[in-house]
Amino acid sequence: MSATTTVSTLKIPTPAVMAGPSRLTARPAGLPAPWEGQPAKAAASQAAHHEADRAERRDRAQAAADLDTPKLLAARHLAVTTCPYLAVALHAIAVVPTYAVPTMGVDRHWRCYVNPAFVRAHPVRELAGVWLHEVSHLVRDHHTRARRLTEASARHEAAGRPGSAPLDPDNPRREQVRLNIAMDLEINDDLFESLRGPDKPRTLHRRSKTDDADDANDTTPRLPEGALTPSRLRIANCDLFEQYLHHVTPTMVADHWTDCGSGAHDGPVPWEDDAAGAHPLGPHEAAAIRISVRDAIAAGRGTAPSGWQRWAEHYGKAPQDWRTLLGAAFRTSLGAAGGAGDYTYRRPNRRTASLGGRLVLPGLHRPLPQVAVVIDTSGSVSDMDLGSALTEVAAITRALGVTGRNVAVYTCDAAVQTAQNVCRAEELTLVGGGGTDLREGIRAAMTRQPRPDVTVVLTDGGTPWPEEQSGCRVVAGIFASHRSLTRFGSDGTFIDCRPPEWIETVYLE
Amino acid sequence: MARSPEQVAAQAAERPTVPAVPQPATAASQLQAADRLIALTRAAGSESRADPAVQALALAVAANLPVLLWGQPGIGKSSTLVQLARGLALPLETVIASVHDPSDFAGLPIIGADPASQGVAMAPPDWAVRLHRAGSGLLFLDEISSAPPAVQAALLRVVLERQVGSLRLPASVRIVAAANPAGSAADGWQLAPPLANRFVHLAWVHDPDVVVRGLGGVWPHVPLPQLDPAKLERSVARARAAICAFLTVRPDYTHRMPATAAARAGAWPSPRTWEMAMRLLAFGYAAGAGTGAGANTEAADHTTTEAVALAVRGAVGDGAGLEFLAFLERQDLPDPETVLADPDHADLPERGDLVHATLAAVVDAVARTTTRERWESAWTLIARLAATVPVDLLAAPAMQLATLREPAWDLPAQLDGLTALEALLAWSE
C-alpha cells in the first residue's frame, strides 16, 4: 500500500490538504521481498513480520490523522524566519508522524519523527525551538562524528594505547545516551544565546504566570522546559560535543535520558525507517545542504550566533586523527629517504641468471633507513602524550623492519640528556624537565654515525629551531595548535615558534 | 530490506539439491566427501542490491577509469572483483603488487640478435600477455599500498598508459586496484601522490547486512550501468558544461595539492582528475542520474545519483567534490521563465529546499517584470504546490507575491485552494 492510498482510504482531511502526501507520510510502497515466491518455511516469520508491519502502519496512519500539521509547520516557518541561515536545511527535512517517538527525533536520512501529542502539548515557539535543535543535529553532522568517535574508541582499545578511550565500546546503549547528552549541550548552549539575546535573561527555573504574561509579546523560538544546557548540568561551556563528552558522567545518563534519534547518536532506534523508507536524503545531498548553510552563514544573512560561525569556518576541515597524520608524514619520509634505495652493480640483480648471463643488471639495494627520534622532556609535555606519540613511531619503525641499532632516541630539554638505541618504547627512560632547546638534540642526532635518514622530533613547540637545513628529512610532531606557536611578546615583537618549511610538521592536538 | 538470519538460513537450506553421498569407506572417498562439502559451502547465488558504493565501482569500471578500493583486510574486496568480472564476462587477472619487482611492471630486458640496431626488448610478464591476447579483461592490482615506492613508480605507466614493458595492453582492459588504509596495515607505505592522482578512490566498508545475506548464500552482484543510447551526446555536453561552469566560478579548485601527506595519498583535484570526473558525470547522466528536476524520483535513480556523487568525490576528493555537487544541485534548478510559461506542467524538484529555491526564483522573476499574466501564473504554481509540498515552504513566497498586486487586479481565484496556508498563518500570529 502506498503512502498516498493510506491517506485517501482512511479519509483523513488534514495531511492531504495541509502537507500533501509526498513528504509527510512515511511508509514506502510494499517492496517485493527477495524471498517471496518460496512460502514454505519463511511463511511463519514472514507473517510475524507482516503483523508488526501492519501495526506500525496503523500507528503511522493514526498519527498522521492526529497531527496538527499547520501548527507544526507554523513552528518551522517561525524557525526559518528566526534563523534564515538554516532555512535550506529546515526545508529539506521530511516529517514522519508516529506515536512511537517520545517527542521529536531525526534519523540519518534527514527525516523528522514527530509525536502528535507532543505537538499538541507545546506552544508554537517551543516547537520552533525543537525544530532548530533537531536540524542542528543534522547540519552539524552529529551522526558521522559519533561514528568516527566510536570507531576511534574501538581502535584505541584494540591497540592498547595509554589513557582511556572517549567511549566505552562494551557499553553501547549507555554511550549512546552519553553522546546524545553531549550533543544536546553543544547545540543548546548556542541556541539559548541566539534565541534569548543578551538583553532578555530568562530563568531556568519554572516560569510563573507573570513570566508567561511578559512573554506574551515575545514570539521568538525557545526551548521547552527541561532542555539540557551546560549551566543546568553545571558544566563549563565548550565548543564541540567531543569536548562536552568528557564532562558527561554515567550518572547523568540515569538522570537525563534523551534520544534525538540516529541523526544524532548514530545508534539503533526502534521507531525509525531504514534507508529504503520514504524520502531518504543521501549523504551527498546532505553534504550539499551543509555547504549551502555554510555559505548562508558566511554571506551574513541573518546574524548567526558565534557557535554557528565557528562551525561554518571549520566545515569541510574534518579533524583527523593525528596518529594518521604523523604516521603518514613519517612513512612518506622513510619511503623517500631510505626505502626507495638505489640500483647498484655491487649486487647483481636476482634476475641476471634467468637472462642467460649475457646481461648484468644492477640489483636494487635497499638499506634500512636510520631513524633518530628527539624527544622534548622539558616538563611541559605530559608523559601520556609523549608515550602515545612514541608508541606510534615505534610501531611504524618496527613494522618496516627498522629496529635495534638503526633507531636512536635522544631525550632533550635544554641539553641532551640521554642517547639510547631502542626498539621498543617501553625500554625507554625519559630524563629531563628543564627549559627547552631542541637544537641541541637535533645537532646530536645529526652528528651520529651512521647519519640518520629521518629524524622525528616530538615537542610541545616552545623551542627554537635550527637555522639551516640539515642533511636529512625531519618530521616534527608538535603537541600544540598551529595558532598557539605565534604570538607577540611583551615588547611588541613577533615571536614565531613554528618550524621552518623544510620540516614536515604535524600538529598533535 | 532487513531480514532475520533465520529467513536467510531457511532460504539457503532449500536451494541445494544434492544426490546422496556414497558411504565413505576409503580415505579417497572421504576426501571426495570433504571436497563436495567445501563446494557446497561455496555455492552461492547473487541478487541485485541498491548499494551506491557498488554502483560507483561499476560506473567507474564501465567508464574505463582506474579504481582504487580502500578497505580493511578481509572485507571481501577480492570477492567483489570476482563478481564484477563474472558480471562483465571478462577474464580476471590478479596481481599482488607488493610481491613484485619493479621490472615485473617495467618489463625485463631481453637481448635480441642485434641489440645495437634493434634495441633491447622489455619483455612483459605472462599476465600482461594473456590480457593482450584476450583483447579485454579486468586487471586487479592487489595490495598496492604495501608495494615499496620503487614498485609504485613502475606501476605509474601501467595504470595510466597501460604500458607493461614493450607491450601495450588493449584500451578496453579495465584496471582495479586495492589498498589497505595506512592506519590498519602498519607495514604499508604511503601511496605516492602521482599514483594516487591517477585513481578513482572508493572507500570499501563491509555492510553487516550484506555479509549476513552472503553467508546465507546470496551475495550482491555488481550491475553495470544501463546507458541510454539516445542520451549519449547530450550527456557529454551536459557534463562538460557543468564542470566548466564550476571551474570558472572556482578556479582555485582546478589544481590543489593537499598539505598533509595523508591527504596527498588520496583523491585531490587536478586537471587530470577533473577530466576523470567529467567522464564519470557523463556516464552518470547517460545512466539516468540527476534527471533531478523531474518528477521521476524512483529509488533506482536516487541510488544512481548517489553513486555518481561517490565516484566524483573519489576522483577529485571530498572538498572539491562536495563543493562541485552542491554547485550542481543549485545550477540544476528549473529556469523560472520556463516554469512561469507553463506552471501546471513544468518539472519541479521534490526536495523541500529546492522547491523553495525554485519558488523564490519565480517570485523574483515576477517582481522584475510584473504583468498580470505572470503574476497569476505564479499563483497557479503556488496552488499546484500546495497540494504536494509542506505548506510552510509557500508562506514567504506567497506573501511576497501578494505585495506585488496592483490595486486594479482581482484576487486570484487560486486563493481558494490555500486554506492550509491560512491555517498556518493563523498559528503564526
Side-chain angles (χ1 to χ4, degrees), chain A residues 22 35 38 76 88 91 279 281-282 284-285 294 331 350-351, chain B residues 3 14 101 103-104 182 188 302 306 323 350 388 392-393:
Chain A
S22 78
W35 66 81
Q38 24 177 300
R76 179 157 84 172
V88 174
H91 286 151
H279 310 299
L281 217 63
H284 102 261
E285 290 177 286
R294 181 205 64 191
R331 280 195 193 91
R350 62 194 169 92
R351 300 262 155 91
Chain B
R3 239 146 285 144
E14 282 177 11
D101 247 22
S103 60
D104 290 341
H302 191 258
E306 277 295 321
E323 295 278 353
E350 191 225 11
T388 54
D392 61 325
L393 302 177

PDB file of all heavy atoms in Angstrom, chain A residues 22 35 38 76 88 91 279 281-282 284-285 294 331 350-351, chain B residues 3 14 101 103-104 182 188 302 306 323 350 388 392-393:
ATOM      1  N   SER A  22       3.422  13.811  -0.390  1.00  0.00           N
ATOM      2  CA  SER A  22       4.743  13.444  -0.889  1.00  0.00           C
ATOM      3  C   SER A  22       5.775  13.314   0.219  1.00  0.00           C
ATOM      4  O   SER A  22       6.479  12.336   0.284  1.00  0.00           O
ATOM      5  CB  SER A  22       5.209  14.453  -1.904  1.00  0.00           C
ATOM      6  OG  SER A  22       5.675  15.607  -1.265  1.00  0.00           O
ATOM      7  N   TRP A  35      12.709 -12.980  -0.903  1.00  0.00           N
ATOM      8  CA  TRP A  35      12.402 -14.370  -0.580  1.00  0.00           C
ATOM      9  C   TRP A  35      10.957 -14.718  -0.925  1.00  0.00           C
ATOM     10  O   TRP A  35      10.521 -15.819  -0.721  1.00  0.00           O
ATOM     11  CB  TRP A  35      12.678 -14.641   0.887  1.00  0.00           C
ATOM     12  CG  TRP A  35      11.790 -13.899   1.820  1.00  0.00           C
ATOM     13  CD1 TRP A  35      10.521 -14.224   2.187  1.00  0.00           C
ATOM     14  CD2 TRP A  35      12.081 -12.680   2.477  1.00  0.00           C
ATOM     15  NE1 TRP A  35      10.002 -13.293   3.028  1.00  0.00           N
ATOM     16  CE2 TRP A  35      10.941 -12.335   3.239  1.00  0.00           C
ATOM     17  CE3 TRP A  35      13.203 -11.852   2.515  1.00  0.00           C
ATOM     18  CZ2 TRP A  35      10.886 -11.180   4.007  1.00  0.00           C
ATOM     19  CZ3 TRP A  35      13.146 -10.723   3.287  1.00  0.00           C
ATOM     20  CH2 TRP A  35      11.991 -10.394   4.021  1.00  0.00           C
ATOM     21  N   GLN A  38       8.823 -18.351  -2.272  1.00  0.00           N
ATOM     22  CA  GLN A  38       9.080 -19.651  -1.672  1.00  0.00           C
ATOM     23  C   GLN A  38       8.475 -19.620  -0.275  1.00  0.00           C
ATOM     24  O   GLN A  38       9.172 -19.468   0.719  1.00  0.00           O
ATOM     25  CB  GLN A  38      10.559 -19.979  -1.617  1.00  0.00           C
ATOM     26  CG  GLN A  38      11.468 -18.766  -1.621  1.00  0.00           C
ATOM     27  CD  GLN A  38      12.904 -19.152  -1.484  1.00  0.00           C
ATOM     28  OE1 GLN A  38      13.288 -19.765  -0.508  1.00  0.00           O
ATOM     29  NE2 GLN A  38      13.696 -18.831  -2.480  1.00  0.00           N
ATOM     30  N   ARG A  76       7.877  25.552  12.096  1.00  0.00           N
ATOM     31  CA  ARG A  76       9.041  25.517  11.211  1.00  0.00           C
ATOM     32  C   ARG A  76       9.210  26.862  10.511  1.00  0.00           C
ATOM     33  O   ARG A  76      10.320  27.349  10.353  1.00  0.00           O
ATOM     34  CB  ARG A  76       8.884  24.395  10.182  1.00  0.00           C
ATOM     35  CG  ARG A  76      10.056  24.326   9.236  1.00  0.00           C
ATOM     36  CD  ARG A  76      10.212  22.977   8.611  1.00  0.00           C
ATOM     37  NE  ARG A  76       9.356  22.818   7.453  1.00  0.00           N
ATOM     38  CZ  ARG A  76       9.423  21.762   6.621  1.00  0.00           C
ATOM     39  NH1 ARG A  76      10.288  20.792   6.851  1.00  0.00           N
ATOM     40  NH2 ARG A  76       8.628  21.669   5.595  1.00  0.00           N
ATOM     41  N   VAL A  88      17.518  26.363   4.359  1.00  0.00           N
ATOM     42  CA  VAL A  88      17.675  25.263   3.408  1.00  0.00           C
ATOM     43  C   VAL A  88      17.576  23.918   4.130  1.00  0.00           C
ATOM     44  O   VAL A  88      16.868  23.013   3.709  1.00  0.00           O
ATOM     45  CB  VAL A  88      19.030  25.393   2.688  1.00  0.00           C
ATOM     46  CG1 VAL A  88      19.267  24.181   1.827  1.00  0.00           C
ATOM     47  CG2 VAL A  88      19.042  26.642   1.848  1.00  0.00           C
ATOM     48  N   HIS A  91      13.988  23.204   5.443  1.00  0.00           N
ATOM     49  CA  HIS A  91      13.051  22.854   4.376  1.00  0.00           C
ATOM     50  C   HIS A  91      13.309  21.466   3.812  1.00  0.00           C
ATOM     51  O   HIS A  91      12.419  20.852   3.244  1.00  0.00           O
ATOM     52  CB  HIS A  91      13.150  23.880   3.244  1.00  0.00           C
ATOM     53  CG  HIS A  91      12.508  25.184   3.592  1.00  0.00           C
ATOM     54  ND1 HIS A  91      12.919  26.381   3.071  1.00  0.00           N
ATOM     55  CD2 HIS A  91      11.495  25.471   4.425  1.00  0.00           C
ATOM     56  CE1 HIS A  91      12.176  27.350   3.565  1.00  0.00           C
ATOM     57  NE2 HIS A  91      11.308  26.825   4.390  1.00  0.00           N
ATOM     58  N   HIS A 279      11.427   8.928   1.183  1.00  0.00           N
ATOM     59  CA  HIS A 279      12.149  10.200   1.159  1.00  0.00           C
ATOM     60  C   HIS A 279      13.441  10.217   1.964  1.00  0.00           C
ATOM     61  O   HIS A 279      13.630  11.067   2.828  1.00  0.00           O
ATOM     62  CB  HIS A 279      11.257  11.323   1.660  1.00  0.00           C
ATOM     63  CG  HIS A 279       9.935  11.334   0.999  1.00  0.00           C
ATOM     64  ND1 HIS A 279       9.796  11.511  -0.350  1.00  0.00           N
ATOM     65  CD2 HIS A 279       8.693  11.161   1.487  1.00  0.00           C
ATOM     66  CE1 HIS A 279       8.525  11.448  -0.663  1.00  0.00           C
ATOM     67  NE2 HIS A 279       7.828  11.232   0.424  1.00  0.00           N
ATOM     68  N   LEU A 281      17.344  11.075   2.457  1.00  0.00           N
ATOM     69  CA  LEU A 281      18.288  12.015   1.861  1.00  0.00           C
ATOM     70  C   LEU A 281      19.645  11.329   1.862  1.00  0.00           C
ATOM     71  O   LEU A 281      20.070  10.826   2.885  1.00  0.00           O
ATOM     72  CB  LEU A 281      18.325  13.275   2.712  1.00  0.00           C
ATOM     73  CG  LEU A 281      18.468  14.587   1.976  1.00  0.00           C
ATOM     74  CD1 LEU A 281      17.262  14.789   1.087  1.00  0.00           C
ATOM     75  CD2 LEU A 281      18.542  15.723   2.974  1.00  0.00           C
ATOM     76  N   GLY A 282      20.287  11.285   0.733  1.00  0.00           N
ATOM     77  CA  GLY A 282      21.578  10.621   0.662  1.00  0.00           C
ATOM     78  C   GLY A 282      22.669  11.457   1.293  1.00  0.00           C
ATOM     79  O   GLY A 282      22.486  12.656   1.497  1.00  0.00           O
ATOM     80  N   HIS A 284      25.377  12.598   0.058  1.00  0.00           N
ATOM     81  CA  HIS A 284      25.928  13.715  -0.719  1.00  0.00           C
ATOM     82  C   HIS A 284      24.946  14.871  -0.778  1.00  0.00           C
ATOM     83  O   HIS A 284      25.348  16.029  -0.790  1.00  0.00           O
ATOM     84  CB  HIS A 284      26.383  13.256  -2.111  1.00  0.00           C
ATOM     85  CG  HIS A 284      25.444  13.607  -3.203  1.00  0.00           C
ATOM     86  ND1 HIS A 284      24.554  12.701  -3.703  1.00  0.00           N
ATOM     87  CD2 HIS A 284      25.238  14.764  -3.874  1.00  0.00           C
ATOM     88  CE1 HIS A 284      23.830  13.279  -4.644  1.00  0.00           C
ATOM     89  NE2 HIS A 284      24.227  14.535  -4.777  1.00  0.00           N
ATOM     90  N   GLU A 285      23.631  14.550  -0.773  1.00  0.00           N
ATOM     91  CA  GLU A 285      22.649  15.632  -0.719  1.00  0.00           C
ATOM     92  C   GLU A 285      22.785  16.384   0.602  1.00  0.00           C
ATOM     93  O   GLU A 285      22.721  17.612   0.641  1.00  0.00           O
ATOM     94  CB  GLU A 285      21.237  15.063  -0.832  1.00  0.00           C
ATOM     95  CG  GLU A 285      20.886  14.511  -2.198  1.00  0.00           C
ATOM     96  CD  GLU A 285      19.496  13.909  -2.205  1.00  0.00           C
ATOM     97  OE1 GLU A 285      19.348  12.814  -1.630  1.00  0.00           O
ATOM     98  OE2 GLU A 285      18.571  14.509  -2.762  1.00  0.00           O
ATOM     99  N   ARG A 294      26.534  26.695   5.200  1.00  0.00           N
ATOM    100  CA  ARG A 294      27.807  27.371   5.465  1.00  0.00           C
ATOM    101  C   ARG A 294      27.899  28.664   4.662  1.00  0.00           C
ATOM    102  O   ARG A 294      28.288  29.707   5.187  1.00  0.00           O
ATOM    103  CB  ARG A 294      28.963  26.444   5.095  1.00  0.00           C
ATOM    104  CG  ARG A 294      30.319  27.037   5.354  1.00  0.00           C
ATOM    105  CD  ARG A 294      31.359  26.411   4.476  1.00  0.00           C
ATOM    106  NE  ARG A 294      31.091  26.698   3.070  1.00  0.00           N
ATOM    107  CZ  ARG A 294      31.703  26.107   2.071  1.00  0.00           C
ATOM    108  NH1 ARG A 294      32.597  25.190   2.302  1.00  0.00           N
ATOM    109  NH2 ARG A 294      31.418  26.431   0.838  1.00  0.00           N
ATOM    110  N   ARG A 331      55.956   7.890   7.311  1.00  0.00           N
ATOM    111  CA  ARG A 331      56.102   6.875   6.263  1.00  0.00           C
ATOM    112  C   ARG A 331      56.599   7.480   4.965  1.00  0.00           C
ATOM    113  O   ARG A 331      57.441   6.910   4.278  1.00  0.00           O
ATOM    114  CB  ARG A 331      54.761   6.204   5.995  1.00  0.00           C
ATOM    115  CG  ARG A 331      54.417   5.147   6.989  1.00  0.00           C
ATOM    116  CD  ARG A 331      53.291   4.307   6.465  1.00  0.00           C
ATOM    117  NE  ARG A 331      52.757   3.496   7.545  1.00  0.00           N
ATOM    118  CZ  ARG A 331      51.753   3.887   8.319  1.00  0.00           C
ATOM    119  NH1 ARG A 331      51.160   5.026   8.086  1.00  0.00           N
ATOM    120  NH2 ARG A 331      51.347   3.119   9.304  1.00  0.00           N
ATOM    121  N   ARG A 350      68.746 -10.324  -9.105  1.00  0.00           N
ATOM    122  CA  ARG A 350      68.476 -11.760  -8.964  1.00  0.00           C
ATOM    123  C   ARG A 350      67.913 -12.343 -10.257  1.00  0.00           C
ATOM    124  O   ARG A 350      67.774 -13.541 -10.413  1.00  0.00           O
ATOM    125  CB  ARG A 350      67.534 -12.017  -7.801  1.00  0.00           C
ATOM    126  CG  ARG A 350      66.168 -11.390  -7.935  1.00  0.00           C
ATOM    127  CD  ARG A 350      65.431 -11.418  -6.605  1.00  0.00           C
ATOM    128  NE  ARG A 350      64.240 -10.595  -6.648  1.00  0.00           N
ATOM    129  CZ  ARG A 350      63.040 -11.070  -6.972  1.00  0.00           C
ATOM    130  NH1 ARG A 350      62.894 -12.328  -7.302  1.00  0.00           N
ATOM    131  NH2 ARG A 350      61.999 -10.276  -6.980  1.00  0.00           N
ATOM    132  N   ARG A 351      67.573 -11.484 -11.208  1.00  0.00           N
ATOM    133  CA  ARG A 351      67.064 -11.986 -12.482  1.00  0.00           C
ATOM    134  C   ARG A 351      68.197 -12.276 -13.471  1.00  0.00           C
ATOM    135  O   ARG A 351      67.946 -12.806 -14.545  1.00  0.00           O
ATOM    136  CB  ARG A 351      66.151 -10.931 -13.123  1.00  0.00           C
ATOM    137  CG  ARG A 351      64.966 -10.580 -12.277  1.00  0.00           C
ATOM    138  CD  ARG A 351      63.754 -11.337 -12.743  1.00  0.00           C
ATOM    139  NE  ARG A 351      62.774 -11.511 -11.703  1.00  0.00           N
ATOM    140  CZ  ARG A 351      61.800 -10.671 -11.473  1.00  0.00           C
ATOM    141  NH1 ARG A 351      61.688  -9.587 -12.202  1.00  0.00           N
ATOM    142  NH2 ARG A 351      60.943 -10.910 -10.526  1.00  0.00           N
TER     143      ARG A 351
ATOM    144  N   ARG B   3      16.521  -8.487   6.947  1.00  0.00           N
ATOM    145  CA  ARG B   3      15.963  -9.818   7.035  1.00  0.00           C
ATOM    146  C   ARG B   3      16.573 -10.507   8.243  1.00  0.00           C
ATOM    147  O   ARG B   3      17.732 -10.275   8.577  1.00  0.00           O
ATOM    148  CB  ARG B   3      16.339 -10.597   5.778  1.00  0.00           C
ATOM    149  CG  ARG B   3      15.132 -11.084   5.035  1.00  0.00           C
ATOM    150  CD  ARG B   3      15.416 -11.073   3.565  1.00  0.00           C
ATOM    151  NE  ARG B   3      15.400  -9.746   3.046  1.00  0.00           N
ATOM    152  CZ  ARG B   3      16.201  -9.352   2.098  1.00  0.00           C
ATOM    153  NH1 ARG B   3      17.109 -10.141   1.630  1.00  0.00           N
ATOM    154  NH2 ARG B   3      16.113  -8.139   1.643  1.00  0.00           N
ATOM    155  N   GLU B  14      17.078 -24.423   1.420  1.00  0.00           N
ATOM    156  CA  GLU B  14      16.232 -25.042   0.413  1.00  0.00           C
ATOM    157  C   GLU B  14      16.940 -25.241  -0.913  1.00  0.00           C
ATOM    158  O   GLU B  14      16.573 -26.108  -1.688  1.00  0.00           O
ATOM    159  CB  GLU B  14      15.012 -24.166   0.175  1.00  0.00           C
ATOM    160  CG  GLU B  14      13.995 -24.324   1.268  1.00  0.00           C
ATOM    161  CD  GLU B  14      12.843 -23.394   1.024  1.00  0.00           C
ATOM    162  OE1 GLU B  14      12.799 -22.828  -0.083  1.00  0.00           O
ATOM    163  OE2 GLU B  14      12.017 -23.239   1.915  1.00  0.00           O
ATOM    164  N   ASP B 101      58.752  -7.214  -8.379  1.00  0.00           N
ATOM    165  CA  ASP B 101      59.866  -6.315  -8.624  1.00  0.00           C
ATOM    166  C   ASP B 101      59.414  -5.176  -9.518  1.00  0.00           C
ATOM    167  O   ASP B 101      58.459  -5.345 -10.263  1.00  0.00           O
ATOM    168  CB  ASP B 101      60.943  -7.104  -9.395  1.00  0.00           C
ATOM    169  CG  ASP B 101      62.175  -7.289  -8.567  1.00  0.00           C
ATOM    170  OD1 ASP B 101      62.038  -7.191  -7.331  1.00  0.00           O
ATOM    171  OD2 ASP B 101      63.236  -7.534  -9.142  1.00  0.00           O
ATOM    172  N   SER B 103      60.780  -4.460 -12.177  1.00  0.00           N
ATOM    173  CA  SER B 103      60.947  -4.917 -13.557  1.00  0.00           C
ATOM    174  C   SER B 103      59.766  -5.762 -14.020  1.00  0.00           C
ATOM    175  O   SER B 103      59.585  -5.969 -15.218  1.00  0.00           O
ATOM    176  CB  SER B 103      62.245  -5.705 -13.707  1.00  0.00           C
ATOM    177  OG  SER B 103      62.213  -6.822 -12.861  1.00  0.00           O
ATOM    178  N   ASP B 104      58.930  -6.269 -13.081  1.00  0.00           N
ATOM    179  CA  ASP B 104      57.755  -7.018 -13.497  1.00  0.00           C
ATOM    180  C   ASP B 104      56.728  -6.104 -14.151  1.00  0.00           C
ATOM    181  O   ASP B 104      55.870  -6.556 -14.890  1.00  0.00           O
ATOM    182  CB  ASP B 104      57.116  -7.718 -12.298  1.00  0.00           C
ATOM    183  CG  ASP B 104      57.994  -8.848 -11.814  1.00  0.00           C
ATOM    184  OD1 ASP B 104      58.843  -9.278 -12.606  1.00  0.00           O
ATOM    185  OD2 ASP B 104      57.852  -9.272 -10.664  1.00  0.00           O
ATOM    186  N   ALA B 182      46.609   3.102   5.466  1.00  0.00           N
ATOM    187  CA  ALA B 182      47.889   3.064   6.165  1.00  0.00           C
ATOM    188  C   ALA B 182      47.696   2.809   7.652  1.00  0.00           C
ATOM    189  O   ALA B 182      48.526   2.185   8.291  1.00  0.00           O
ATOM    190  CB  ALA B 182      48.640   4.372   5.948  1.00  0.00           C
ATOM    191  N   GLY B 188      52.532  -0.795   5.729  1.00  0.00           N
ATOM    192  CA  GLY B 188      52.278  -0.187   4.425  1.00  0.00           C
ATOM    193  C   GLY B 188      53.157   1.015   4.169  1.00  0.00           C
ATOM    194  O   GLY B 188      53.711   1.610   5.089  1.00  0.00           O
ATOM    195  N   HIS B 302      17.715   7.488  -7.614  1.00  0.00           N
ATOM    196  CA  HIS B 302      18.320   8.069  -6.431  1.00  0.00           C
ATOM    197  C   HIS B 302      19.659   7.398  -6.149  1.00  0.00           C
ATOM    198  O   HIS B 302      20.659   8.062  -5.893  1.00  0.00           O
ATOM    199  CB  HIS B 302      17.364   7.887  -5.255  1.00  0.00           C
ATOM    200  CG  HIS B 302      17.760   8.660  -4.053  1.00  0.00           C
ATOM    201  ND1 HIS B 302      18.373   8.075  -2.988  1.00  0.00           N
ATOM    202  CD2 HIS B 302      17.659   9.967  -3.760  1.00  0.00           C
ATOM    203  CE1 HIS B 302      18.630   8.996  -2.090  1.00  0.00           C
ATOM    204  NE2 HIS B 302      18.200  10.163  -2.525  1.00  0.00           N
ATOM    205  N   GLU B 306      23.449   8.971  -6.167  1.00  0.00           N
ATOM    206  CA  GLU B 306      24.402   8.824  -5.067  1.00  0.00           C
ATOM    207  C   GLU B 306      25.705   8.191  -5.560  1.00  0.00           C
ATOM    208  O   GLU B 306      26.795   8.579  -5.141  1.00  0.00           O
ATOM    209  CB  GLU B 306      23.814   7.937  -3.966  1.00  0.00           C
ATOM    210  CG  GLU B 306      22.891   8.634  -2.983  1.00  0.00           C
ATOM    211  CD  GLU B 306      23.598   9.678  -2.148  1.00  0.00           C
ATOM    212  OE1 GLU B 306      24.745   9.441  -1.747  1.00  0.00           O
ATOM    213  OE2 GLU B 306      23.011  10.740  -1.907  1.00  0.00           O
ATOM    214  N   GLU B 323      31.829  20.515  -2.973  1.00  0.00           N
ATOM    215  CA  GLU B 323      31.526  21.871  -3.455  1.00  0.00           C
ATOM    216  C   GLU B 323      30.918  21.793  -4.852  1.00  0.00           C
ATOM    217  O   GLU B 323      29.960  22.481  -5.183  1.00  0.00           O
ATOM    218  CB  GLU B 323      32.795  22.727  -3.506  1.00  0.00           C
ATOM    219  CG  GLU B 323      33.430  23.012  -2.161  1.00  0.00           C
ATOM    220  CD  GLU B 323      32.765  24.162  -1.438  1.00  0.00           C
ATOM    221  OE1 GLU B 323      31.902  24.825  -2.028  1.00  0.00           O
ATOM    222  OE2 GLU B 323      33.107  24.374  -0.256  1.00  0.00           O
ATOM    223  N   GLU B 350      11.678  17.727  -6.029  1.00  0.00           N
ATOM    224  CA  GLU B 350      10.832  17.170  -4.992  1.00  0.00           C
ATOM    225  C   GLU B 350      11.237  17.647  -3.602  1.00  0.00           C
ATOM    226  O   GLU B 350      10.407  17.828  -2.741  1.00  0.00           O
ATOM    227  CB  GLU B 350      10.910  15.640  -5.054  1.00  0.00           C
ATOM    228  CG  GLU B 350       9.885  14.959  -4.200  1.00  0.00           C
ATOM    229  CD  GLU B 350      10.478  13.823  -3.410  1.00  0.00           C
ATOM    230  OE1 GLU B 350      11.712  13.689  -3.360  1.00  0.00           O
ATOM    231  OE2 GLU B 350       9.705  13.072  -2.817  1.00  0.00           O
ATOM    232  N   THR B 388       1.057  19.333  -2.833  1.00  0.00           N
ATOM    233  CA  THR B 388       2.081  18.292  -2.764  1.00  0.00           C
ATOM    234  C   THR B 388       3.202  18.568  -1.778  1.00  0.00           C
ATOM    235  O   THR B 388       3.893  17.640  -1.380  1.00  0.00           O
ATOM    236  CB  THR B 388       2.725  18.081  -4.143  1.00  0.00           C
ATOM    237  OG1 THR B 388       3.184  19.336  -4.612  1.00  0.00           O
ATOM    238  CG2 THR B 388       1.744  17.487  -5.127  1.00  0.00           C
ATOM    239  N   ASP B 392       4.440  25.313   4.652  1.00  0.00           N
ATOM    240  CA  ASP B 392       5.238  26.425   5.166  1.00  0.00           C
ATOM    241  C   ASP B 392       6.264  26.907   4.145  1.00  0.00           C
ATOM    242  O   ASP B 392       6.743  28.030   4.225  1.00  0.00           O
ATOM    243  CB  ASP B 392       5.936  26.049   6.473  1.00  0.00           C
ATOM    244  CG  ASP B 392       6.885  24.898   6.292  1.00  0.00           C
ATOM    245  OD1 ASP B 392       6.567  24.007   5.487  1.00  0.00           O
ATOM    246  OD2 ASP B 392       7.938  24.875   6.950  1.00  0.00           O
ATOM    247  N   LEU B 393       6.580  26.037   3.173  1.00  0.00           N
ATOM    248  CA  LEU B 393       7.506  26.471   2.115  1.00  0.00           C
ATOM    249  C   LEU B 393       6.906  27.607   1.301  1.00  0.00           C
ATOM    250  O   LEU B 393       7.619  28.402   0.702  1.00  0.00           O
ATOM    251  CB  LEU B 393       7.797  25.308   1.158  1.00  0.00           C
ATOM    252  CG  LEU B 393       8.391  24.049   1.724  1.00  0.00           C
ATOM    253  CD1 LEU B 393       8.537  23.020   0.624  1.00  0.00           C
ATOM    254  CD2 LEU B 393       9.744  24.381   2.303  1.00  0.00           C
TER     255      LEU B 393
END
